[in-house]
Amino acid sequence: MNQDNPLLESTPLPAFPRIRPEHVMPAIETILGDFRQATAAMLAPGAPRSFAGLLLAQQHLEQRVANAWAPVSHLHAVADSPAWREVYAPAEALLAEHAVELGQNRELYAAVQALAEAADFAGLPRPERALVEHTLRDFRLSGVSLEEPARSRFADIEVELSRLSTEFSNAVLDATEAWHEHIADERDLAGIPESGREVLRQYAREQDLDGYLVTLKQPSVHAVLTHAEVRGLRERVYWAYQTRASDQGPNAGDFDNSARIEKILALRHESAQLLGFANAAEESLATKMAASPAEVLEFLHDLAARALPVARQELAALREFAQAELGLDNLEPWDVAYAAEKLRQRRYALDEEQLRAYFPLPAVLDGLFALVAKLYGIRVMVRDGVDVWHPDVRYVELLDADGRTFAGAYLDLYARNGKRGGAWMDVCRARFVDGPQRQLPVAFVTCNFAPPPSGAPALLSHDEVQTLFHEFGHALHHLLTGIDLPAIGGIDGLEWDAVELPSQFMENFTWDRQALDLFARHHQTGERLPEELFQRLLATRHFHAGLFLVRQLEFALFDFRLHLEYDPQRGARALEILEAVRNEVAVLHPPAWQRFPHGFSHIFAGGYAAGYYSYLWAELLSADVFAAFAEHGVIDRDSGERFRREVLAVGASRPALESFVAFRGRKPEPEALLRSYGLGA
């Protein structure tokens, strides 16, 4: 098996068509075995205890693990199957055990500590010093100083948390795919535009059904909740979607994440306390910009004080409109998106479907690539003949001014069965340069747009255009790094509350006339987005900004308080804390049966535990950065070069605040975030 195992081959890109579930365990076992032997050799008497002999050697070992695991983890997310699940969980457990074992290697820790205390440490290049410092911090966060039995208990917790995280994600996916409603009579879809109906037709065809199939995939949920005139259909979809993987709803108990939530929070709290932190929220901040829980809460409460009065006014106006114009005496949660879209159309005469015609996906991609070229002086080119995991996937290369390829990205943009919902960027290959050895950075960019109808391009909503720009912004952060050490290049090692800066920065261009002119063309006539339509779009930018902001604050405060206030004697109290947060910042309360936490994968199956506030924290930074571009005409080459040099290229080789100040010339100003929501002066 090992002789013909694509996961053991050293190649620039994964050989996706050849990778099979049966390759996973042999590859991971072999690589981890080699890793242990190499680590023992570098710590043997007489081995050089230098940066190159220790940390650079470790980077080589870690890249071998990463390059084998990245395609496996990705296929598990975008091509899920029972066979992949069967091998994924035990392999993930091996990796979790290995990470703790390495993090608790006291001999290696002492050797790295000696590097930091050596007389010539200050003379090392800054990236090398940063890697030493990050490594020592990570040792401490891995329990290197713990004694038995705490040492073994910490290791067991990390493995168990890894397993629970995967189970949580699987349950959400299973619950999403378990529910559907077959509709034969088109009249039951009144109000849903043709683009939405075509999505539902395709879902039906995939199941060999006539008519339409309403599902819990995002394109379907959006189409129904935003446009369906049949209130009962909206309610059923909302009920099924908002109770996924819980003890409520149409599949109550089948995929229930309740016990996993309790266990995850208990283990995180215990782990944090073993390391000497008061709680998991405090531990989380060890790798973030925010200095204390009090600082995070003050930040969120200050935003809430600004947003709540606006949100209350917006909701009152929406209730009045829904009652007077739509006959909805009681505005229920499943009515909000529908009523808001009707009000938006009435107030701004802007129809989402009218806009879609100007955002064909191929043109949007071309415009995105053209914008990147103007900002950073690079070219993004589609490359054919690259091994992919699905026919819809495209691969692009990034070329510098001399025409040399320096990075690449896979684009997987359409929703399908077996693919996790949402949108994300992940690392396929990290930039790694060691003498003549050179590994180029490669990213996965994943979205879940509705697949295109036969013979026509996919037409995106403006929100979807923003999503694509957001995820490609993450990719650019990874791909434009100038750091040769993977652990501190691109997004790796960066403070988590700064990681959204480049992605949210890119969203701003979707509201800019110059940028839209690069791609907003009618898919049939080629006509550019009319100025009058652009002005109507622009007028909607702050539509219900208060309601959106308090919703984000609800998520952020719930997440942070959940980890901050965990009490072993009382358990997670997830629904109790959620209700308390809603009483504080929400203006519209959902029904008691709603189970939002059970599908909150960001914090239970992602990297945002006690860190969801990062979206708002980084949005402050991104709004301030974009303001600098606006001061120079928005699409400004000099600003782009400076942003690339001072922020994107440096990764975690220096603190994120230093990088921000190097670009902006000062610390961030909160007013920029308020202005971006239309709440500032």
Side-chain angles (χ1 to χ4, degrees), residues 128-139:
E128 294 186 7
R129 296 201 310 273
L131 180 57
V132 172
E133 292 161 356
H134 282 226
T135 302
L136 292 173
R137 179 201 65 194
D138 293 343
F139 269 120

Side-chain angles (χ1 to χ4, degrees), residues 518-652:
L518 296 174
F519 62 87
R521 296 282 193 278
H522 195 282
H523 71 105
Q524 292 175 324
T525 68
E527 172 197 18
R528 81 170 195 162
L529 185 70
E531 180 62 20
E532 186 231 355
L533 191 54
F534 168 69
Q535 290 299 331
R536 279 188 273 151
L537 170 65
L538 202 60
T540 69
R541 183 168 190 180
H542 302 310
F543 177 64
H544 285 178
L547 286 170
F548 175 81
L549 188 50
V550 297
R551 187 75 170 134
Q552 288 297 103
L553 287 164
E554 178 185 320
F555 298 161
L557 280 166
F558 166 67
D559 163 49
F560 202 75
R561 286 186 55 183
L562 195 64
H563 290 89
L564 181 69
E565 299 173 15
Y566 181 82
D567 181 350
Q569 301 302 316
R570 302 180 63 191
R573 299 184 298 127
L575 296 179
E576 178 186 331
I577 290 175
L578 180 59
E579 185 63 21
V581 167
R582 284 173 172 163
N583 288 335
E584 181 183 358
V585 300
V587 295
L588 184 68
H589 287 245
W593 46 256
Q594 195 241 33
R595 290 294 184 268
F596 159 72
H598 294 67
F600 199 1
S601 295
H602 275 77
I603 70 168
F604 293 116
Y608 286 87
Y612 195 86
Y613 79 89
S614 301
Y615 280 100
L616 292 168
W617 186 281
E619 197 166 358
L620 187 161
L621 305 177
S622 69
D624 207 343
V625 165
F626 190 77
F629 279 76
E631 291 164 7
H632 296 90
V634 181
I635 302 180
D636 178 57
R637 183 80 168 81
D638 290 340
S639 298
E641 275 300 311
R642 202 155 43 84
F643 184 59
R644 178 180 180 179
R645 181 179 68 249
E646 301 293 358
V647 177
L648 301 179
V650 300

Side-chain angles (χ1 to χ4, degrees), residues 92 157-170 257 259-265 267 604-605:
E92 187 181 43
I157 288 173
E158 294 305 296
V159 174
E160 180 71 357
L161 281 172
S162 176
R163 180 185 66 81
L164 289 167
S165 173
T166 297
E167 289 183 358
F168 186 99
S169 181
N170 288 343
N257 270 330
R260 294 187 188 98
I261 290 173
E262 289 286 338
K263 191 66 173 174
I264 287 170
L265 290 167
L267 291 174
F604 293 116

